[in-house]
Amino acid sequence: FIGDVVGGAGVAMLEQQVPRLRGLHEPHFLVVNAENAALSGENPMHGAGMAPSDLDRLFALGVDVITGGNHSWDGPHAAEVLSRPRVLRPMNYGRAAAGCGAVIVGEPGRRLGVVNLASRTAMAYADTPHDALQAQLRTWQASAEPPDLVLVDLHGEPVSEKQIFAFAVAG
């Protein structure tokens, strides 16, 4: 998991480093948080998002899934990038919002489920992340081919909040 990729410089750095890191660590999957890859405004705090060209560059590196956060809907290309099945946005924020929040990638015997969530410190009107995750896990467990592993990208503010969530859902 790599994140948070910020701006074109962040994408370019990954283009330089991912081949070396792949050779060194031989990961089975690569998930990247790239909600800030395209700086779309004068102030990065209020204008980020993702552009199709940046996503194409990341997928060309062998990235399996790209996750978002509170900036998932920023920028002029939000609807287009969120229509891609391996680009996720927080699943616990607005069922009618563009995009999806979970995906399974891989092959039989090595399938990774990725869930993208936001805490209420990152997105005040998000549904409870724990409840959203449990619902998604139940859906996958009831399916014919559930994932072998699950990775959760919880987008939040304080580290302590993410640690508490991790302890609550571990295993």
Side-chain angles (χ1 to χ4, degrees):
F1 182 84
I2 298 173
D4 185 346
V5 177
V6 178
V11 175
M13 188 275 304
L14 285 183
E15 288 175 322
Q16 293 175 353
Q17 296 298 322
V18 165
R20 182 184 67 79
L21 292 171
R22 280 192 176 282
L24 184 63
H25 298 290
E26 300 178 8
H28 297 291
F29 300 102
L30 181 55
V31 179
V32 174
N33 176 275
E35 65 163 329
N36 295 310
L39 300 179
S40 60
E42 293 178 19
N43 180 345
M45 294 298 291
H46 303 291
M50 297 177 268
S53 59
D54 293 325
L55 299 183
D56 292 342
R57 291 167 66 190
L58 292 172
F59 284 130
L61 293 171
V63 170
D64 296 291
V65 179
I66 295 174
T67 62
N70 58 314
H71 291 292
S72 293
W73 297 273
D74 290 0
H77 306 288
E80 180 183 349
V81 299
L82 291 173
S83 70
R84 296 183 182 201
R86 293 186 296 137
V87 176
L88 304 181
R89 52 85 164 179
M91 72 179 301
N92 60 322
Y93 187 78
R95 295 173 199 244
C100 64
V103 68
I104 297 174
V105 295
E107 55 200 46
R110 187 181 286 167
R111 293 167 41 88
L112 176 69
V114 180
V115 179
N116 191 193
L117 298 167
S119 73
R120 289 184 172 162
T121 60
M123 300 180 81
Y125 298 106
D127 293 335
T128 305
H130 184 270
D131 293 347
L133 175 60
Q134 295 305 318
Q136 182 61 56
L137 293 175
R138 283 191 301 274
T139 298
W140 280 342
Q141 289 166 352
S143 71
E145 295 186 60
D148 301 297
L149 300 168
V150 175
L151 182 140
V152 177
D153 176 8
L154 174 66
H155 193 81
E157 296 302 326
V159 171
S160 59
E161 176 182 50
K162 296 175 225 180
Q163 290 173 325
I164 291 167
F165 184 83
F167 284 120
V169 302

